[in-house]
Amino acid sequence: MKKRWIAAAAAALVCISSLCGCGEGVVDLTGSSQSASSEETSSAVTESDVQDSLLGLEEFMIAQGYVSGTPSEMNGALIGANELGHRYVSGSITAEFYEYDLANLNETAETVRASVEANGTFEIVGQTVSNVYLSDSGKYLMIYTNTNTDETNTALTQAAVAAFKSFKAE
């Protein structure tokens, strides 16, 4: 009995660690330093310039100035998404992006997506994850938190959510 409890506690710790930023590695989407200003980059890349893929979504969100930095890989399987998601942490903003295979949603994916659609949250390992959004296409999930709530950052968050939701919507 004690061994089962220890195993369950260890599994819960692994799950929480996966969602709390302990990424499996680092992914460089640009292949170069991001020295260009957001304004310069923003006008250079539009939604139509990128692919309808997780990396295309991330490239678009970076180009628009909604996220920055070097992403960490996240375990998307924990929420029923494709194997890997990516997490960006920069200043007051933390953003995670995941992609779903809409033709092959498992029970976990269905549960998470239904909760997000209903109230913008989902439960994992007894914890509630807030500030969660599904894209209008239903293909992507984003967790976007900006701890700075001044007027400028509130507007940035609203714009980021709107851009994410409409990405490649059909």
Side-chain angles (χ1 to χ4, degrees):
M1 183 63 130
K2 189 174 184 179
K3 288 181 182 180
R4 286 184 185 170
W5 185 85
I6 291 171
L13 183 60
V14 168
C15 290
I16 290 172
S17 295
S18 295
L19 287 176
C20 293
C22 295
E24 298 173 12
V26 174
V27 178
D28 184 4
L29 293 176
T30 62
S32 63
S33 102
Q34 296 180 3
S35 60
S37 75
S38 293
E39 290 178 18
E40 291 171 355
T41 308
S42 179
S43 63
V45 177
T46 65
E47 183 179 339
S48 61
D49 294 331
V50 298
Q51 293 183 1
D52 187 2
S53 67
L54 183 63
L55 294 181
L57 167 64
E58 292 172 25
E59 182 181 352
F60 172 71
M61 296 295 282
I62 289 167
Q64 299 307 308
Y66 301 130
V67 297
S68 63
T70 303
S72 300
E73 291 181 348
M74 303 297 292
N75 185 352
L78 292 173
I79 60 169
N82 291 354
E83 190 173 313
L84 292 178
H86 296 117
R87 180 181 221 203
Y88 295 81
V89 179
S90 178
S92 63
I93 296 172
T94 301
E96 293 182 29
F97 300 97
Y98 299 92
E99 181 177 4
Y100 286 98
D101 178 356
L102 297 178
N104 295 303
L105 296 175
N106 61 27
E107 186 177 330
T108 301
E110 295 284 356
T111 301
V112 168
R113 292 166 51 84
S115 180
V116 171
E117 287 175 349
N119 57 31
T121 66
F122 65 86
E123 297 283 327
I124 186 162
V125 194
Q127 300 292 319
T128 300
V129 179
S130 303
N131 304 313
V132 187
Y133 309 92
L134 279 174
S135 64
D136 291 343
S137 70
K139 187 174 177 180
Y140 304 104
L141 180 138
M142 174 178 78
I143 304 168
Y144 192 93
T145 305
N146 189 341
T147 58
N148 192 339
T149 57
D150 65 19
E151 190 174 322
T152 301
N153 279 281
T154 298
L156 175 69
T157 298
Q158 291 171 345
V161 170
F164 166 77
K165 285 183 147 234
S166 66
F167 182 76
K168 301 291 184 179
E170 301 182 293

